[in-house]
Amino acid sequence: MGANHGPDPHDHHHGTAPRIGIGGPVGSGKTALTAALCRALGEQLSLAVVTNDIYTTEDADFLRRAGVLDPARIEAVQTGCCPHTAIRDDITANLDAVERLEHKFPALDLVIIESGGDNLTAVFSRGLVDKQIFVVDVAGGDKVPRKGGPGVTTADLLVINKVDLAPLVGADMDVMISDAHRMRGELPVIAQSLVETPDAPEVAKWVLAQL
Amino acid sequence: MLTALILADSRFPGGGHVHSGGLEEAAARRLVTDEPSLESFLHGRLLTTGLLAAGFAAAAARGEDLELLDLELDARTPSPAQREASRAQGRGMLRAARRAWPSARLASLPASPHQPLVIGVVVGDPYEAALTCAYLAVSGPASAAVRLLGLDPFGVNAIVAALPVEEVASRACKELPALGSPALDLLAEAHVRREGVRLFGS
């Protein structure tokens, strides 16, 4: 019986692959954005993904079915009913998943960690990710950016998804984008529709600039 | 004593919040549905898995051979899923402990040790280590019951407070127990094989 189950619990992630967190409310399009980034960057970068969906493998299955990434490069973690705890207060399960991926693929260029859907206050710990993207969508209401909360105000990038739906749900894009800039100061905002641009080119460009 | 309090705190970042100690599976099978059935589950867990783990925490705190203890605990844990859950929590606790309480003895532990060994080494005092371990054996499942079943947190807290945790910790300091808990073994094995919704790691 060996005692070496799993990776060595080294202290911190400096010197290993850069990590980008993708957070935001339920249904805002985090998994769709993750899949788009895999499509856009999977050829040129060695990528891996950790998903935190509350249904354990729902998002991982979505990514596997989408065929955008080798299934071996996707890890799903359980969050004990508390997705924000697993990305912020106690990041152990996510660190374990990242280390398993780094062990399997030693030369990773980027690890994307997708949070389970949560509320506007959920942000990633700096002990887990280097940069974070917060995703909201127009169908959630155009008042979401001005409600603020740490996700909207402090994330390194705010993505407003599903802009193609704006006329259908009565969302005012000008208000939404100007509110977002007002709440975030100099921090960037990207409005996009994955129906119109399935590979999320602007977000992919931003991600590449972070590496 | 402060170290024991920190380890037992549910806000300690050692990965414990994603483990339910079999409670998720028991709840899914409607074996635990309310406060009386939760009390019975926790009582049984404390007097079997809890006492066993606490005994190993106390032995590690007394300075006994860690490699041997790790193997002895493996031998007393027939369910592979339970062994992995204990090692996952040991690995998480070790990651946090190496930053907070570095020591040569801590560094001598394997990469993914059983959690009671980490508790014993970090706490140092056998009784306090046993108490911490016994408490964690029931506080995790109790918290999971609040989250999964929506039980009244005051009622659940009162159940935990009335459990004989101190008595178990005292017994655990006397000898290395070899208790079995077949129901918990079966629940753990059924849990890792569950298709579909699974919110906890164990």
Side-chain angles (χ1 to χ4, degrees):
Chain A
M1 273 302 169
N4 287 307
H5 295 249
D8 186 57
H10 58 257
D11 278 344
H12 204 259
H13 65 269
H14 291 307
T16 58
R19 301 173 193 168
I20 290 184
I22 298 182
V26 176
S28 58
K30 296 179 295 300
T31 309
L33 177 59
T34 303
L37 290 174
C38 290
R39 270 193 302 273
L41 303 172
E43 297 277 309
Q44 50 181 310
L45 300 178
S46 177
L47 268 180
V49 173
V50 178
T51 73
N52 283 235
D53 190 271
I54 61 161
Y55 292 115
T56 310
T57 58
E58 184 78 18
D59 284 349
D61 288 345
F62 178 89
L63 291 174
R64 288 177 190 125
R65 278 198 309 275
V68 291
L69 200 62
D70 173 4
R73 290 175 177 265
I74 303 168
E75 284 270 343
V77 302
Q78 284 96 20
T79 62
C81 307
C82 294
H84 55 273
T85 305
I87 61 163
R88 186 185 62 201
D89 312 78
D90 183 354
I91 57 180
T92 302
N94 271 298
L95 286 179
D96 279 349
V98 170
E99 287 171 7
R100 281 195 298 275
L101 288 164
E102 287 175 341
H103 186 73
K104 269 195 284 187
F105 304 100
L108 287 175
D109 298 311
L110 173 65
V111 179
I112 295 173
I113 301 168
E114 184 201 340
S115 170
D118 212 293
N119 61 60
L120 296 175
T121 67
V123 290
F124 284 84
S125 160
R126 295 178 194 191
L128 181 60
V129 301
D130 301 292
K131 297 280 177 175
Q132 53 191 302
I133 301 172
F134 199 75
V135 182
V136 299
D137 74 294
V138 300
D142 58 14
K143 62 188 179 303
V144 167
R146 71 171 169 271
K147 282 185 180 175
V152 167
T153 58
T154 69
D156 299 291
L157 173 65
L158 179 71
V159 170
I160 301 175
N161 250 348
K162 309 185 193 175
V163 296
D164 53 304
L165 295 181
L168 301 173
V169 297
D172 185 329
M173 282 316 301
D174 291 341
V175 166
M176 214 167 170
I177 290 168
S178 68
D179 280 350
H181 283 296
R182 187 166 51 77
M183 299 300 291
R184 291 171 53 76
E186 298 297 307
L187 290 168
V189 177
I190 293 175
Q192 68 172 9
S193 159
L194 293 174
V195 174
E196 288 157 13
T197 52
D199 290 351
E202 283 187 75
V203 179
K205 191 174 157 200
W206 180 88
V207 167
L208 284 174
Q210 311 307 310
L211 303 180
Chain B
M1 183 57 112
L2 178 62
T3 306
L5 291 174
I6 292 172
L7 292 186
D9 189 338
S10 66
R11 286 163 289 193
F12 175 74
H17 76 104
V18 305
H19 291 274
S20 80
L23 193 281
E24 180 172 40
E25 187 65 25
R29 289 166 181 266
R30 303 196 57 76
L31 297 170
V32 174
T33 55
D34 53 13
E35 289 184 20
S37 51
L38 176 66
E39 182 174 20
S40 172
F41 179 92
L42 295 177
H43 202 265
R45 192 165 204 282
L46 176 63
L47 292 176
T48 55
T49 305
L51 176 55
L52 178 67
F56 277 81
R62 280 195 300 271
E64 292 185 20
D65 185 281
L66 294 170
E67 201 175 332
L68 187 62
L69 286 176
D70 203 65
L71 293 171
E72 292 262 7
L73 189 44
D74 255 353
R76 286 165 167 81
T77 314
S79 151
Q82 295 242 67
R83 289 200 293 272
E84 178 47 36
S86 172
R87 291 191 182 281
Q89 291 174 87
R91 185 167 63 238
M93 187 171 269
L94 184 58
R95 181 190 280 114
R98 280 180 174 167
R99 283 282 282 279
W101 307 282
S103 74
R105 190 156 156 82
L106 199 62
S108 78
L109 279 167
S112 296
H114 280 295
Q115 188 188 33
L117 273 56
V118 186
I119 293 173
V121 170
V122 172
V123 173
D125 175 83
Y127 176 73
E128 288 179 11
L131 191 62
T132 304
C133 205
Y135 172 71
L136 286 172
V138 289
S139 64
S143 167
V146 171
R147 282 179 265 167
L148 287 168
L149 298 169
L151 297 184
D152 175 2
F154 300 110
V156 172
N157 185 58
I159 289 169
V160 172
L163 288 168
V165 179
E166 289 154 313
E167 188 190 318
V168 164
S170 294
R171 279 175 62 190
C173 290
K174 296 193 177 84
E175 59 180 351
L176 267 192
L179 298 147
S181 46
L184 288 174
D185 292 336
L186 290 171
L187 287 173
E189 290 303 314
H191 185 255
V192 291
R193 288 168 176 78
R194 178 166 284 277
E195 299 285 327
V197 180
R198 190 155 72 87
L199 300 170
F200 287 82
S202 75

